[in-house]
């Protein structure tokens, strides 16, 4: 390791920002735009960073950015796999695995679709239910995932080990979700084969949670493609929605989005959600994603 190359990192970030058009990431062009690419504040917003922090990075200043920050910037700037690896090298951080986990590169096709679901709650997750990226409506609906690594990055793992994770759904729905999560994990384990990450997660859950162990031994298998959910929102109460999944070609990632029939109470609540935004999510940011 040779330390952060601040000047090269700054130049690279600016060059990638200049390359992206607002429409590429679902932003309006507007008549008063003076730069062809994204503004600094737009990149910071897409990455979930403060504008001042991102500005310092582009000026070649500041502390070494964390792996989480670099991953967020790679997604905001729509970097390719090679570009993402280069970003990590410039920041003197180990390059994370490209195939799976919370730092995985979001597949471009799914990311492009997510950009076009501006008012629809949507997010991209891994096959182990680790949230990779979500839009603001999804964050307002289900909260932001906790900034943790390892098995706890998986919502399925937290479902069976952290009681707070279950606050997302009404108690009477918990048995259904437990069955569906385990059947989905069975299918993922079979598809991945002798995968260390899955094997360790299953072993840990069998040790820690009797419900999981019992359900695992039923050997029920079913990928979670669609589901009707009742989500508990801190301001709007219970919201009934349909959850849809679109799988990447290799099955490692999924685009989830939530909808409700026109004219239904759920549709009305989603409209209210767009007004409320994430203001009411402060106390429950770490409860999700589904």
């Amino acid at each position: 390791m040779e330390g952060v190359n601040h000047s090269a990192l700054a130049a690279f970030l600016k060059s990638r920002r200049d390359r992206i058009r607002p429409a590429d990431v679902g932003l309006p062009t507007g008549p008063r735009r003076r730069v062809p690419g994204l503004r600094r504040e737009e990149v910071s917003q897409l990455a979930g960073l403060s504008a001042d922090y991102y500005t310092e990075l582009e000026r070649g200043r500041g502390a070494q950015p964390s792996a989480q920050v670099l991953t967020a910037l790679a997604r905001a700037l729509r970097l390719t796999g090679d570009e993402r690896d280069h970003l990590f090298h410039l920041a003197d951080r180990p390059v994370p695995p490209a195939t799976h986990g919370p730092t995985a590169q979001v597949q471009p096709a799914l990311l492009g679709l997510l950009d076009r679901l501006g008012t629809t709650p949507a997010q991209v997750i891994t096959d182990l239910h680790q949230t990779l990226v979500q839009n603001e409506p999804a964050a307002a609906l289900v909260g932001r995932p906790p900034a943790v690594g390892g098995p706890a990055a998986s919502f399925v793992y937290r479902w069976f080990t952290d009681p707070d994770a279950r606050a997302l759904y009404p108690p009477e729905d918990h048995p259904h979700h437990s069955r569906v999560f385990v059947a989905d994990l069975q299918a993922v384990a079979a598809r991945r084969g002798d995968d260390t990450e899955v094997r360790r997660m299953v072993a840990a859950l069998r040790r820690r949670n009797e419900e999981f162990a019992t359900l695992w031994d039923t050997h029920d298998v079913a990928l979670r493609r669609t589901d009707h959910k009742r989500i508990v929102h801190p301001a709007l109460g219970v919201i009934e929605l349909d959850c849809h999944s679109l799988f990447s070609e290799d099955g490692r990632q999924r685009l989830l989005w939530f909808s409700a029939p026109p004219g239904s109470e759920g549709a009305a609540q989603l409209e209210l959600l767009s007004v409320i935004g994430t203001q009411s999510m402060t106390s429950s940011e770490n409860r999700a994603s589904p």
Side-chain angles (χ1 to χ4, degrees):
M1 295 288 185
E2 301 178 355
V4 182
N5 190 332
H6 288 286
S7 60
L9 177 63
F12 183 65
L13 288 173
K14 185 179 185 305
S15 71
R16 300 306 89 183
R17 175 170 64 86
D18 291 343
R19 179 191 61 176
I20 297 181
R21 300 299 179 263
D24 296 338
V25 293
L27 294 174
T29 302
R32 297 185 178 181
R33 182 171 292 272
R34 291 182 290 181
V35 294
L38 297 180
R39 302 185 179 101
R40 285 175 176 169
E41 58 268 24
E42 290 171 336
V43 174
S44 65
Q45 180 182 3
L46 290 169
L49 306 173
S50 74
D52 289 341
Y53 178 80
Y54 179 75
T55 298
E56 287 296 290
L57 286 180
E58 267 208 21
R59 289 176 175 171
R61 305 170 186 167
Q64 180 187 31
S66 68
Q68 289 78 14
V69 166
L70 296 172
T71 298
L73 286 172
R75 290 171 185 155
L77 294 169
R78 304 308 189 250
L79 301 188
T80 66
D82 290 338
E83 289 171 335
R84 184 200 67 155
D85 292 352
H86 183 62
L87 178 68
F88 273 77
H89 286 307
L90 292 176
D92 195 35
R93 293 287 186 188
V95 176
T99 54
H100 56 273
T103 56
Q105 182 78 7
V106 181
Q107 299 211 7
L110 299 185
L111 196 55
L113 288 172
L114 180 68
D115 289 336
R116 286 159 177 76
L117 296 173
T119 60
T120 299
Q123 55 194 18
V124 178
I125 67 172
T126 70
D127 54 357
L128 295 182
H129 294 253
Q130 301 153 326
T131 301
L132 298 178
V133 62
Q134 61 182 177
N135 61 16
E136 286 303 307
L141 177 65
V142 301
R144 300 189 189 280
V148 294
S154 164
F155 183 71
V156 173
Y157 185 87
R158 298 197 305 275
W159 178 261
F160 289 103
T161 59
D162 181 2
D164 291 341
R166 298 202 173 199
L168 184 65
Y169 303 122
E172 58 270 26
D173 295 352
H174 290 180
H176 163 76
H177 290 294
S178 292
R179 289 192 302 271
V180 171
F181 280 138
V182 174
D184 184 86
L185 185 57
Q186 284 273 15
V188 171
R191 185 177 62 245
R192 283 206 190 186
D194 188 24
D195 183 273
T196 302
E197 184 181 25
V198 176
R199 188 171 64 250
R200 288 177 177 173
M201 178 180 291
V202 171
L205 288 175
R206 286 179 66 90
R207 289 194 307 268
R208 297 190 57 178
N209 189 279
E210 184 177 351
E211 180 192 22
F212 177 87
T214 300
L215 289 171
W216 188 261
D217 289 339
T218 66
H219 300 285
D220 289 341
V221 180
L223 285 174
R224 192 174 198 171
R225 293 182 172 87
T226 60
D227 201 357
H228 185 76
K229 297 185 176 185
R230 299 194 303 156
I231 294 176
V232 179
H233 188 272
L236 300 177
V238 177
I239 308 176
E240 290 200 35
L241 299 169
D242 293 315
C243 179
H244 314 273
S245 298
L246 178 65
F247 292 73
S248 62
E249 187 174 352
D250 63 3
R252 292 283 185 126
Q253 295 182 11
R254 310 172 185 184
L255 173 65
L256 302 183
W257 72 97
F258 299 87
S259 66
S264 66
E265 182 179 1
Q269 288 171 304
L270 283 183
E271 290 188 13
L272 283 174
L273 188 68
S274 65
V275 177
I276 295 173
T278 58
Q279 299 174 25
S280 60
M281 300 303 298
T282 305
S283 62
S284 55
E285 279 190 342
N286 290 344
R287 66 185 187 137
S289 317

